[in-house]
């Protein structure tokens, strides 16, 4: 029960993150990233049937973007004062959450 509440809260947070991207220079990219996190969080609550390979493909997609942003940000920009730095931190949140969901699904055979 508590796990479903946490997943629902993360889904709401990611949907909020997606909503506030409208004023971003590249809103569609970031809206997609955050909606991926929201949809995959809701997958566990609603029992939507998403293949583990689609889940891991989404995790890889986010991971590749994280690596690209890390190259542009780390050591070159301040994390909180540059747009790329804030986007990098948001992507870390999505990636870590999806990674935790993947690990949890292996333990419970939920995917």
């Amino acid at each position: 029960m508590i796990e479903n509440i946490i997943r629902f809260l993360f889904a709401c947070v990611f949907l909020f993150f997606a909503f506030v991207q409208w004023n971003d220079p590249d809103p569609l990219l970031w809206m997609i990233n955050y909606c991926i996190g929201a949809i995959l969080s809701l997958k566990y609550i609603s029992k939507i049937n998403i293949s583990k390979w689609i889940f891991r493909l989404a995790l890889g997609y986010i991971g590749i973007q994280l690596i690209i942003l890390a190259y542009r940000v780390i050591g070159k920009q301040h994390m909180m004062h540059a747009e790329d730095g804030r986007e990098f931190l948001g992507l870390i949140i999505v990636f870590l959450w999806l990674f935790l969901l993947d690990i949890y699904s292996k333990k419970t055979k939920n995917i």
Side-chain angles (χ1 to χ4, degrees):
M1 178 66 179
I2 190 73
E3 294 93 358
N4 286 343
I5 293 171
I6 293 170
R7 290 180 192 122
F8 181 75
L9 289 175
F10 266 92
C12 289
V13 166
F14 291 144
L15 288 175
F16 175 74
F17 286 175
F19 177 75
V20 297
Q21 294 303 312
W22 283 109
N23 66 350
D24 198 74
D26 49 356
L28 188 59
L29 172 68
W30 296 103
M31 291 172 85
I32 290 170
N33 289 336
Y34 291 126
C35 284
I36 286 172
I39 290 167
L40 294 178
S41 295
L42 291 174
K43 176 244 181 275
Y44 287 94
I45 298 169
S46 63
K47 304 297 183 198
I48 298 170
N49 188 14
I50 297 177
S51 167
K52 66 180 177 180
W53 297 109
I54 293 174
F55 186 93
R56 292 190 181 137
L57 184 65
L59 186 63
Y61 170 74
I62 299 291
I64 289 170
Q65 288 187 54
L66 194 59
I67 291 168
I68 292 169
L69 263 179
Y71 177 75
R72 290 178 21 199
V73 170
I74 294 177
K76 298 175 185 169
Q77 300 178 12
H78 190 278
M79 291 287 186
M80 296 308 292
H81 298 294
E83 178 74 18
D84 287 341
R86 291 186 298 270
E87 290 174 344
F88 179 70
L89 293 174
L91 209 52
I92 286 175
I93 294 169
V94 174
F95 181 80
L96 290 176
W97 176 246
L98 293 180
F99 184 72
L100 288 173
L101 284 177
D102 191 38
I103 289 173
Y104 180 75
S105 72
K106 288 178 187 175
K107 288 182 180 178
T108 62
K109 305 283 186 209
N110 206 4
I111 255 185

